[in-house]
Amino acid sequence: IFKEKFSMSLTEYINRKKIDNAIKLAEDPRLSVENIAERAGFSSKSSLYRVFLKVTGTSFSDFRKQK
């Protein structure tokens, strides 16, 4: 039912919300990647990197360099 309504799985939806949060947090240059990952709900910075690339199509490092 969830997938029919939102055109994505619950896991995909949750990951997108986490990435949205990480993007907002990344605007603060004082925050470390580890801190952003933790605050956004990821278990590690590796998880943040992997999911960020999958959801956005760009690496988290490249995204932060553009800011």
Side-chain angles (χ1 to χ4, degrees):
I1 295 174
F2 188 92
K3 191 167 188 167
E4 291 172 8
K5 186 171 183 176
F6 293 100
S7 301
M8 66 181 79
S9 71
L10 179 58
T11 301
E12 290 170 324
Y13 179 83
I14 291 168
N15 283 338
R16 285 178 188 257
K17 291 298 181 183
K18 287 180 177 181
I19 293 302
D20 289 344
N21 193 21
I23 287 170
K24 290 176 189 167
L25 291 166
E27 292 176 3
D28 185 346
R30 297 170 297 171
L31 293 177
S32 68
V33 177
E34 292 84 358
N35 200 286
I36 292 169
E38 182 181 330
R39 289 184 182 197
F42 292 96
S43 59
S44 67
K45 69 179 182 179
S46 297
S47 295
L48 168 62
Y49 287 151
R50 187 180 74 259
V51 175
F52 195 92
L53 181 61
K54 184 176 181 180
V55 170
T56 68
T58 189
S59 73
F60 186 75
S61 299
D62 287 345
F63 172 78
R64 260 198 128 175
K65 286 177 191 173
Q66 294 172 357
K67 288 290 173 183

